[in-house]
Amino acid sequence: MTVTQLSQEVICFAGDSGDGIQLTGTNFSHNASAWGNDVMTLPDYPAEIRAPAGSVSGVSAFQMQFSSTDIHTAGDEFAVLIAMNAAALKNKIGGLVNGGLILADQNGFSKKNIELAGYSSDPLSDGSLPDYRIIADNFTHLTVQSLKELNLPPKQLRRSKNFFVLGIVFWIYSRSLTQTEEWLKAQFSDKPLVMEANILALNAGFNYADTTEIFGESFQVEPAPKKEGFYRTISGNEALSLGFICAAEKLQRTLFLGSYPITPASEILHTLSKYQDVGVKTFQAEDEIAAACAALGASYAGALGITSTSGPGLCLKTETLNLAVMTELPLVVINVQRGGPSTGLPTKTEQSDLLFSMYGRNGDSPMPVLAAASSADCFDMALEASRIATTFMTPVILLSDGYLGNGTESWLVPNPDDIAISAVEQYQQTDQFHPYKRNPITGSRPWVSPGTKGKMHRIGGLEKQSVTGDPSHDPDNHQRMTKERAAKIAGISAFIPEQPLTGETDDLVLVISWGSTRGGVSSAVKQLREQGMPIAHTHLRYLNPFPANLAAIIAAFKHVLVFELNNQQIVKLIRAEFLTPAKSATQTTGLPFKVRDVVKTISEYYGEITDGC
């Protein structure tokens, strides 16, 4: 038996939404991470609650890249496609490299399923896939046969087919079953027969691959060089949740989440609701408006109030955001963006809520907007959003997206003692209390909880008289307060990190990216720079206000190319703010950029501007 060493590999599990694909992929990614590989994942599942079984629209997939070196994306094309039915093959075959392996469960290629997928004949046997290596067997039947001694109904036995297939994949990549067996024992401790069935199926799949001799070789991806510190895999939604718990602890405030379930942000509510033992309070409201209002009320009472949502949910929260701007209370709104407009593409990723986050409110209603750059970075940006909200007494919108929220990557678990985020100093004024008397450095007003002795004040959505906070319709006062609120937000640029730059200011092209585009764009720029192309790159995490030095960076380049997953949103801001004729590269497929496509776009642009030189 030949064992081939690989530096990295990309594989894709795909099947019907009831085939346990996400569970299978997650278990393999945990195994790879425990083995020491660098791992990134891209879950891709249907938006409909239950699309017709066997249909292309009902395909659930899980793509992952695991590597012996640092990686920043879930990969472009995959080398192995695990197809549990004909629809999965139809949906994902376009992403399989030439010569790639198709591992197919023949049980999912019945005449009905083949027709549902849109094939006129069985693609596994009709010779229509000559560019791929096909290994097909009835894995569902083999699973049932291996579990026939168990006292479980046939339907229950068939459900273990995903672990049978996972056992085969573990054999292909020379992996131990121990970690997954331990996970199954813990996960199904209250259902011993189900636990036994899945463990038996896992081992049966591994032994099938080991004994049938249909696999001529196996593969091995060595661990990445060991890094100092403790690493684990984490999703963006989980990282956000842990980041806010940490922020509340550092700020010495109770963490309160008011939320209404919505894809792909619901996991934040699910995660934080498990941390009541450390004082986290979660509230599932009847709608998005109530959720935001509850979080703002919690902030008024002295807690770190946050609310989570996606796309259309942000529309509903805007009136509360305006109230937070007027009352100058801290509030963090987490928007895990998805494809829009309206209900749009609930399970797909996009960055199309940027302009709405910037301007989607009545009146002059400025507020900071931040964007996490990776699943792990969600932890750090949760801390930053909390720091800015409480330091400057303002609502903050923190943008994530479906790719970051559902995807996972390796994360260095920080030492809590190394996390620097200071609690807001309590108001020490002993003379007459003025609720809108501003801090001369930050421009923020004091944060006083209701009931504080000697600091009684009125609050609400009406314009405030400067300093006193009394309701005011005075024209000059409204102009003054509008400018003070705007100056406070603009002044935050002095309290955020400088914009980093990869490359030199005398490079020919500056590539700009933001949010979840960092992985694909930074990988592409790295490739091109290694080829000698003078391409610089800067990735934005602070979108309003921009870092103070960003203007100087952009001014140093004659050619600027901006990547984003929407129809030209941040490029409009950059053109307007910095008066640069920046070019735009966009994508709205519901999927992240492929490194290959970014390389092609930059190379073509470079060719245009150097033609004839």
Side-chain angles (χ1 to χ4, degrees), residues 81 83 89 93 96 100-104 124 129 132-136:
L81 170 61
L89 181 67
I93 189 65
L96 186 64
L101 171 65
I102 298 171
L103 187 63
L124 300 179
L129 301 172
Y132 308 103
R133 182 186 175 202
I134 301 174
I135 293 181

Side-chain angles (χ1 to χ4, degrees), residues 47 77 113 146 182 206 208 211 222 230 295 378 432 604-605:
E77 291 81 18
N113 280 353
S146 66
E182 294 302 317
F206 188 92
Y208 165 87
T211 59
E222 289 296 316
F230 175 63
C378 285
Q432 185 178 2
E604 289 178 350
Y605 180 59

Side-chain angles (χ1 to χ4, degrees), residues 186-494:
Q187 187 72 14
F188 296 104
S189 59
D190 57 341
K191 298 176 181 177
L193 271 179
V194 175
M195 174 184 68
E196 185 178 3
N198 287 329
I199 291 176
L200 286 174
L202 182 71
N203 282 271
F206 188 92
N207 293 332
Y208 165 87
D210 191 35
T211 59
T212 55
E213 299 183 353
I214 57 176
F215 296 94
E217 61 179 344
S218 63
F219 305 93
Q220 203 164 55
V221 179
E222 289 296 316
K226 190 171 179 58
K227 305 172 184 173
E228 291 188 5
F230 175 63
Y231 280 80
R232 54 161 292 193
T233 55
I234 196 167
S235 71
N237 283 340
E238 189 181 8
L240 282 171
S241 303
L242 297 181
F244 283 112
I245 292 173
C246 183
E249 176 71 21
K250 292 290 180 180
L251 294 168
Q252 301 174 32
R253 300 278 176 176
T254 298
L255 179 61
F256 179 93
L257 170 69
S259 186
Y260 179 73
I262 184 169
T263 301
S266 299
E267 187 186 2
I268 297 169
L269 174 60
H270 300 161
T271 303
L272 284 176
S273 65
K274 299 174 184 174
Y275 287 91
Q276 296 179 28
D277 60 325
V278 295
V280 176
K281 299 185 184 303
T282 55
F283 169 58
Q284 180 176 326
E286 70 269 28
D287 57 42
E288 297 280 5
I289 302 170
C293 287
L296 182 60
S299 289
Y300 179 45
L304 174 59
I306 65 175
T307 183
S308 57
T309 190
S310 182
L314 185 62
C315 302
L316 294 167
K317 293 182 188 293
T318 54
E319 189 169 347
T320 308
L321 287 175
N322 269 331
L323 181 59
V325 169
M326 184 61 87
T327 56
E328 301 195 42
L329 286 167
L331 174 69
V332 179
V333 182
I334 310 157
N335 181 13
V336 187
Q337 298 169 97
R338 64 194 206 184
S342 189
T343 311
L345 308 173
T347 59
K348 310 300 180 186
T349 196
E350 207 166 273
Q351 297 180 313
S352 52
D353 294 341
L354 173 61
L355 292 182
F356 189 83
S357 299
M358 290 286 295
Y359 305 118
R361 294 171 293 279
N362 72 294
D364 287 297
S365 185
M367 66 180 63
V369 180
L370 312 181
S374 69
S375 296
D377 188 51
C378 285
F379 179 89
D380 296 326
M381 294 312 282
L383 291 169
E384 274 295 84
S386 303
R387 178 183 70 87
I388 291 172
T390 54
T391 300
F392 296 92
M393 296 294 286
T394 177
V396 175
I397 293 180
L398 174 55
L399 297 175
S400 175
D401 61 39
Y403 179 35
L404 300 183
N406 293 324
T408 61
E409 67 171 324
S410 299
W411 175 55
L412 173 60
V413 179
N415 182 342
D417 295 335
D418 295 336
I419 297 174
I421 172 173
S422 302
V424 176
E425 292 184 6
Q426 295 300 305
Y427 196 75
Q428 300 297 326
Q429 184 179 350
T430 55
D431 55 358
Q432 185 178 2
F433 174 65
H434 295 299
Y436 277 74
K437 184 177 182 180
R438 299 184 181 280
N439 182 309
I441 298 175
T442 64
S444 63
R445 76 174 190 88
W447 189 2
V448 178
S449 300
T452 302
K453 185 178 180 180
K455 295 182 173 57
M456 184 171 64
H457 60 285
R458 286 181 287 184
I459 203 163
L462 291 174
E463 178 61 283
K464 302 293 177 290
Q465 178 66 44
S466 179
V467 181
T468 68
D470 294 333
S472 171
H473 290 170
D474 175 64
D476 292 337
N477 177 73
H478 178 57
Q479 179 155 335
R480 174 180 176 178
M481 290 297 281
T482 298
K483 290 185 175 180
E484 286 184 359
R485 287 189 289 265
K488 180 178 71 170
I489 302 305
I492 293 173
S493 62

Side-chain angles (χ1 to χ4, degrees), residues 8 10 40 42 63 65 70-78 403 511 516-531 537 561 563 565 585 587 591-604:
Q8 75 274 334
V10 182
M40 289 203 71
L42 174 60
Q63 180 176 326
Q65 179 170 205
D70 286 344
I71 53 175
H72 304 288
T73 75
D76 288 355
E77 291 81 18
F78 29 87
Y403 179 35
V511 173
S516 68
T517 60
R518 184 174 71 176
V521 174
S522 62
S523 298
V525 171
K526 183 172 183 290
Q527 282 186 28
L528 295 171
R529 289 187 63 82
E530 288 173 350
Q531 295 170 15
H537 174 218
L561 179 59
F563 284 84
L565 298 174
Q587 177 176 298
L591 296 169
F593 283 116
K594 292 182 184 296
V595 176
R596 174 196 61 196
D597 295 338
V598 177
V599 167
K600 183 172 182 285
T601 301
I602 296 174
S603 299
E604 289 178 350

